[in-house]
Structures are given as structure tokens and as C-alpha cells.
Amino acid sequence: MSDSARIVIIGGGVGGASVAYHLTELGERDVVLLERDELTSGSTFHSAGLVGQLRADPTLTRMNQYSVELYRRLDAGWSECGGIKLASTPERMAEIRRQIGWARTFGLPLEEISVAEAVELFPLMDPSGVVGAAYLPTDGQVDPSRLCYSLAALARQGGARIRTRTRVLGIDTAGNRVTRVRTDQGDIDCEIVVNCGGMFAAEIGRMAGVRIPIVPMSHQYVVTDAFHEHTGLPTLRDPDLLVYYRQEVQGLVMGGYERDCAPWTASESSYDAVPADFNGRLLTEDWARFEEISDNSRIRVPAMADVGIRKLINGPEAFTPDNEFCLGETEVGGFFVAAGFCAHGIAGAGGVGRVMAEWIVEGEPSMDVWHMDIRRFGRQYRSPSYTLKRAIENYETYYDIRYPGHERSAGRPLRVSPAYGWHAAQGAVFGEKAGWERVNYYASNEPDAQAEGVAEGHPRPRGWAGRLWSPAVGVEHRATREAAGLFDETSFAKIEVTGPDAASLLEWVCDNRVARDVGAVTYTQALNRRGGIECDFTVTRRADQEFLIVTGTAFGSHDLGWLRKQAALRNADVRIADVTGQYACFALWGPRARDILATLTPDPLTFPFMTSRELTVGDVPVLALRVTFVGELGWELYCSSEYGLGLWQALWQAGGPHGLTAAGYRAIDSLRLEKGYRVWGADIGPEITPYEAGLGFCVKPDKDFLGRDALDRNPPRRLRCLTLADPRAIALGNEPVRVDGEVVARVTSGGYGYTVESSIAYAYLPVGPGTKVEIEVEGAWVAGTVVRDPLYDPAGERVR
């Protein structure tokens, strides 16, 4: 029989039930949830049920905190037993101390405990080799199936309909929007579809023509026989041994993340296909692959050597390539996704449901969830093999310590600049972002002699920040300040907006005035309806109906999606295209930049800061933008990609007599910290307004733009620059900041400024310059001062 509903949710696991419940909480009544079998029959029924709250990401931590608040109110077998994380190495203990600092910024009572205290809380453990531990009393465990049924019951009470044993056969679209869900029980006309299909999500996505990059991975754990008399044991994680434990009546559940993982696939070509009859089932036990985890478990809990095993659970879990959830609206209008729970979905399910309901009802989530947004995955993730490589690496390194500057290796190199070979030959140390190979620094720029701890003029940061540090960054920083640096920014995302409505659309989207004279370059933000910064980019007007937007490497797909969404809402006659790969981009910055470029072009270089001009550089036609992200005179030079290598070589050869140094992104970060330039995703984002961020100079309140009416020109907090008393104590992000003994903020970003010779950090504070603060760096409180920014060239004379 045909039917209709405003919202159709596909998938009756804990994710789908949570979305349904939270939609009804926001007043939605016309909601149908479809489940192919019975509720919980996908991955939910075999989940281990651990609920840990603290994550490196602030948003996910807040989502998990909300989950705990919700689970306390539900009939879901919630046990607030607490959680212990052990350190079996000094490096892990340093990581734990950093996490304790993060927890303070969220009000989480995570505390360091002694090894003896850990044994007292979890008497089954052998403390041999344990260096230290942390304990969070508000962590716990829940019965996943009871949780799902409890949420489903609340959704029903709120008016949602739940149909089990209803298989989705297809999803119809018209005008690039969903219109209908076809099932074996009849069709359902709808406005919105929410794909909560778990390990089936990729197949459901294909019905709407959407690629969802998840891989079902075989994840195993054992349930032991009863063997102890303890009650209320906390959960226990020993990441150095790759294992976790939780109490199960008078036994234990024990599992982990093995180094030799197994993606579960039904087809060698798709990697994400699931058999049609795989409902409420488990995979075959794989004891050989579980042997590493089993052996490690006996080290920490010796009783595991003799205890009987009631069963080995081998259930597929949907993993994404970066271990973050896959949430949000896809390129097909009205088709949302809430999948890829990566074996920690029970902890996040409450928060996911709330965020998704907000997104659907209000048009945008209340929190910054870009790192979970499905749009973060570039076109390379349409490749099943690339997705698989990244997912496997992610799973097998799940418990690894990730130091600042840690780089993944799977699927590399993939996207490369025309000058990639030159960089490699010059000793470039590459990083990867959005599939692009980018120069972090050149090993060839490292000083010949380095003392342990401090090289001449290049202080090695203490502890964590010094792990993957290179003095080459300081060399490249100083060379840019003193002579000139040449940077390959080809990976920067580039978006063309053209057509009759291009100017009016961008004027509506941007807080700054961008439809100015042809050749004008404007730094601007695009705001959401709450006044939060959705995008942060430059707009260059190339013709009356032609604009070029340049944004960060990792944000191209986000900004492209945001612009297209606003264009669709306004029915604008525009073409919005990603042209990133069509252009190479090289930045030439420094006091000698004009001298270098003048030897290569007959064109006058007199055009002012924040304007653009077409030039020839050597034999290459170039679009030159007088902009900077390091606070020095210079240009970003754009050329068609086939000219890229020739342009780079011409600049390099011309720069030799002037002291030109090839430099990488680590130097850019150090340079921009001194200059106070903000980074989207760290210093600014959808929850931050321009006035809070110190970007009020971009706002033109005399024009109409999205988010204008939500702005407060006098916010209670602002992004402030801090300098630390110890220059070798480096805050990297999330460290707590306290004033008069009270934690009032967290660090958004930080690093070392080689020109100002100071450790620099940024944080949103309710106090102004001159205030004394303390920043917790790896367990130690370091004195600091709020200072006026920018620290370097506050008058802005050098950029002009």
C-alpha cells in the first residue's frame, strides 16, 4: 500500500532509534522508521556497550556527555561504573596527562590515579609494567539492545511510526531531491530520508546515487564464564596492549583492536556489500586472528589464561576511513546519513540523534560537526580500494599514540602538485591533507649540527610537541621573514562562482562586501543563521559575473556544499564549480619577494595589497593575488596546472641570488601564529561569530547577509593571544586555560613563534590584554599573559 511521511528513517539500530526519538522531541510527528528485520538486528545487538566520554575532539566529547545524561534517564541497563585507562609506557602516560587537561575544559572529573588505586578499583588486574592511570567516574556501560528499544518506545510515544520486517528496495529522486522510498511493503512518498543503515549504509546510499565511504570490519570480543565475586567493576582499557574489559555479571567482556584486521566483504570489488539475508547474525569465529588480543589480555588480567569462554562474538562494525562518524546531508537534497559508528557508536548515539534532529529540523546542527560531516570525504573516497586502505590503517592503529604532526600512510601518494618531484628531490617531508601531498618542511633545511634538546637558535619544544619536531621549520620561518620563502599551495581548494546571480548570491552569503571592482580580493566569512562562521575564504572578482574563491585544502568540499545549498535556497542562476585541480598555486612571500618577481615579469608590480592582476612570470601566464598568510609582502601565483613545474623552477632560479628558501606548511603555521591569522576548524568555526573571533573588521552591517541579525557586536568572550613564560612549553590545542585558579577556556591552537621567540597560544577568554593566566601543558601549569595581537608587525606595514 502506498503511504507518505515527511521523514523516513532507514535502519532500526540504536542510531535510527535515537534520530527518531530526537525528531519527535523537536516536534516532528510525521516520522516513519523502517527496519528490514527486527530492531537491533544489524550491529547494535552485538555491540560491547562501553560508554567513554572524553575524546580529542571537543564536539564529540560534548555529544558523548549528552549521551550519558540521556542514558541515565532511560530504562537501558545503564551502569555508571566509571572507566580506567592504563598507561603501560611513559609515552602513554604523557598522553593521558594531556587528556586529563582536556577533560577540565568540559567539566569531566577525569583524574590521574596511582597504580595501587587502579588495582583497588579493578582487583583482577596485574599491575606489572603499568606506569600510571586515569579514572573517570562518570563513564559506564549500557545494554545496547535495551537502549535501542527504550529510544524506540519514546519515539513511538512522540508520534513516530516504526515498521519492522520492511525491506527498502529503492529511493526515488527528482530535481536532485529525494521523493520516495520504495519497500517490499509499498512505497512511501517523503521529503527527507535519513540513512541510519549501519553496515548497510553504503548500499542504501547507492540507491540514491550517493557514495558513503564505510567498510564493515570484523570486530571480535569474548564473554567469559563467571569467575569472580566483584561487583561494580569499572571498564578498563590498556591501549598499549590493545585490549579493553568490562564486567558481564560475574565474568568479563574482553576485546580489542588487533594489528591484523579483517574487513568483512561479500564482494572483492565493492568492499562494503552485505548479504541480503544477514539479519541478526554473527560472523564465524576467527580464533587465529584473535590470538594477539587473547595473549595480551592475560598479561593484564592473568585469570584470562584459565577462565572458560562462554562465547566469541564476531560481528561486523561499520568503520569510516578516519574513525569519525558519517553524518549530515549529502549532495542529494533531503538525503541525510547517520552511519559509520566505528565501534564507538553506543557512546555517541544519544548525541548523534540530537545533532541529526537539529540538522533536519533547523537546517543546521548547533555544534561544529565538520569532522563528522559526510562532505569531508573528497572524490577520492568514491574509490572502494582507497576507502578500504584508509579504513584498514585506521582500524589497525586505533589505539596508537598520535603525536603532533602524525601522518597516515595508506593510499599515498594520490593527489600531487606539478612540482611534487622537485620537492621530493630536495628532501621534502610530506604531509597529507584531503588526499594531497603537501610539504611539511624540507629535511635539507635542517641545520648541520643539532644538540640534544636545543639546536642553535631553534629550541626543541618540551615533551609532546617535540616528538616529531624539526629545526628546519625555524630555518624556513626566519628565511621568509628575512629574505623570501617559496611555498607550494597547489592543494588550496579553489571554487569558481559564475553567472548572472553570482554577485548577488555572494553578497548574501558573505559578511564582507565582495562584489567590488574587478580585480578586488576580499577576505570574508560566510555565516550561518546563528552568526557562526561556516566558511572563511578570499573572494577575487575576475569579471562582472565571475568570482574565484580560495579556501583551505580540507574545506573545499564543505565550502562548495555550503555555497550550493545557499544558491539552491535562493534559486540563484549561478554555476558553482570546484576547479582545484585545474590550477597550481605558489606563494612567494618575504621582504625580497618583489625583487625576485621583478626579474621574471615585464608587468609592473605596483598593484596594491588585496588586489589581483594577470601577469606573465617567465614564460607562464599567471593570476597574481597580493595576499599573504604569513604577514609579509608577496603574492599567491596561480597558473594552469600544466605550467606548474615551469613556474616553480623559474621562481626558484630567480630567487637564488636573493636568498630564497623553499618552505613548507609547518613554517606557515608558525608565521601565521605570530601574525594572528585564524584557522577555520581550530580558532574559528560554526559556533564562533566574527566579533568573538576578532574578525569584526570583515563585517559590513549596512548590507543584508545571512546571519547578520544574530550578531552581537559586544560578545562576552573574544579570541585572545597568549604568550607562555616558558618558550619551550608548547600548547597544541584543547589545553585548559585558567584565570585566578578557575578554568575558563581551552586553547584553540598554539605553537612557537621563531621571530618573537615565544610560545604562542590562542583561547576564547572573558578577559583582556595584561591578564595573567595559566595553561596546563602535559600536567604542568605554565604561567602566561594575555597580550594584544598580532605580535608581529601590528601596524601591518610589511604586507604592503
Side-chain angles (χ1 to χ4, degrees), residues 36 44-45 56 87 108 110 209 218 248-249 257 260 284 289 386 416 455 492 501 523 534 568 681 688 692 786:
R36 58 192 281 154
T44 298
F45 82 94
L108 284 172
L110 181 66
S218 167
E248 176 69 10
V249 194
Y257 292 84
D260 181 19
T284 303
R289 191 166 52 81
Y386 186 79
V416 298
F492 273 16
D501 294 338
Y523 171 54
E534 280 291 340
I688 302 297
E692 290 175 312
V786 181

Side-chain angles (χ1 to χ4, degrees), residues 181-309:
V181 175
R182 291 181 283 109
T183 82
D184 60 357
Q185 303 297 316
D187 297 344
I188 306 175
D189 295 331
C190 59
E191 299 174 23
I192 292 168
V193 174
V194 191
N195 178 359
C196 298
M199 60 184 164
F200 300 95
E203 294 185 73
I204 295 168
R206 282 192 281 273
M207 295 179 184
V210 172
R211 167 70 175 155
I212 300 173
I214 64 169
V215 176
M217 303 289 290
S218 167
H219 186 68
Q220 300 187 110
Y221 63 85
V222 295
V223 182
T224 74
D225 290 336
F227 71 96
H228 64 83
E229 301 295 327
H230 303 289
T231 59
L233 290 176
T235 61
L236 180 72
R237 293 175 176 84
D238 190 336
D240 293 307
L241 291 176
L242 311 176
V243 295
Y244 62 79
Y245 311 82
R246 73 161 173 84
Q247 184 162 1
E248 176 69 10
V249 194
Q250 301 310 127
L252 290 177
V253 164
M254 183 278 293
Y257 292 84
E258 67 278 11
R259 297 293 189 189
D260 181 19
C261 71
W264 178 61
T265 59
S267 167
E268 289 297 323
S269 61
S270 69
Y271 300 113
D272 54 19
V274 180
D277 62 347
F278 197 85
N279 303 311
R281 292 168 51 191
L282 297 171
L283 304 177
T284 303
E285 298 174 350
D286 190 347
W287 283 101
R289 191 166 52 81
F290 197 67
E291 184 176 359
E292 177 185 21
I293 301 300
S294 181
D295 290 346
N296 286 355
S297 75
R298 299 165 189 160
I299 296 173
R300 192 56 59 227
V301 178
M304 293 297 297
D306 303 311
V307 69
I309 301 299

Side-chain angles (χ1 to χ4, degrees), residues 658-676:
H658 301 277
L660 181 65
T661 297
Y665 277 85
R666 299 273 179 85
I668 289 178
D669 193 54
S670 174
L671 291 157
R672 71 95 190 167
L673 283 168
E674 292 184 335
K675 191 59 179 169

